[in-house]
Amino acid sequence: MSGKLTVSSELGQGTTFTLTIRFDLPQEQADIDRSTTAIGPSELLSLQFQPANILLVEDNPTNQQVARELLESTGLTVTIASDGLKAIDAVKHEHFDLVLMDVQMPRMDGYQATAVIRSDDRFKELPIIAMTAHALFSDQEKCLEAGMNDHVGKPVEPGASTRP
């Protein structure tokens, strides 16, 4: 999807969290989609949240700390869930603008948690971004097939594109 995840913040002015995804659709599908939505081939979709409430789903305490500090330094509010079961519970009881989902966790992994979250119609549009060290194209495809919107490789590099 040639996506990019960026965060910018200005002291006293707020934070902008931008997820940009490029949709490259086959021409016949683009013609159908144009009739029902304003997004066509190679157009960009940008979602901006100001301020944003982020659910960080990560089991590693060091990764939790690094990601929390990075996100909070831009003015975002961060809630941490240490596994997929806790993520599901958090999503059901709090409002989140975005979920950053690790894929390999004990008890319930990110793929399974995403499937459960997506099975609830209330969360069909909730952006869920995979965060994983697995950077192969097949790993990215597995994230998308599980219902995640995009993939960010670890370690996270602020301002870097999620795909070449």
Side-chain angles (χ1 to χ4, degrees), residues 63-136:
N63 291 346
Q64 289 174 358
Q65 180 181 352
V66 170
R68 177 188 289 260
E69 289 176 6
L70 175 66
L71 294 166
E72 288 180 345
S73 73
T74 65
L76 298 168
T77 302
V78 178
T79 300
I80 294 177
S82 59
D83 63 51
L85 292 172
K86 290 178 182 176
I88 293 166
D89 187 57
V91 165
K92 288 182 177 178
H93 293 98
E94 293 182 53
H95 168 77
F96 294 101
D97 298 298
L98 176 77
V99 176
L100 295 174
M101 181 77 73
D102 187 13
V103 296
Q104 289 188 321
M105 296 177 289
R107 297 191 343 141
M108 179 182 281
D109 68 28
Y111 303 114
Q112 295 166 318
T114 298
V116 172
I117 292 168
R118 290 289 189 232
S119 71
D120 187 325
D121 286 340
R122 295 175 295 169
F123 309 118
K124 293 285 187 195
E125 301 299 319
L126 175 64
I128 301 176
I129 309 297
M131 287 185 20
T132 177
H134 300 280
L136 296 176

Side-chain angles (χ1 to χ4, degrees), residues 19-83:
L19 170 63
T20 304
I21 304 170
R22 180 176 303 279
F23 291 89
D24 292 317
L25 302 174
Q27 188 58 44
E28 58 276 358
Q29 185 178 354
D31 290 340
I32 293 167
D33 289 347
R34 271 198 199 103
S35 67
T36 59
T37 181
I39 300 169
S42 302
E43 293 176 305
L44 297 178
L45 170 64
S46 294
L47 306 174
Q48 293 189 0
F49 304 104
Q50 193 175 8
N53 192 18
I54 309 299
L55 176 61
L56 172 64
V57 188
E58 170 65 61
D59 65 313
N60 181 289
T62 302
N63 291 346
Q64 289 174 358
Q65 180 181 352
V66 170
R68 177 188 289 260
E69 289 176 6
L70 175 66
L71 294 166
E72 288 180 345
S73 73
T74 65
L76 298 168
T77 302
V78 178
T79 300
I80 294 177
S82 59
D83 63 51

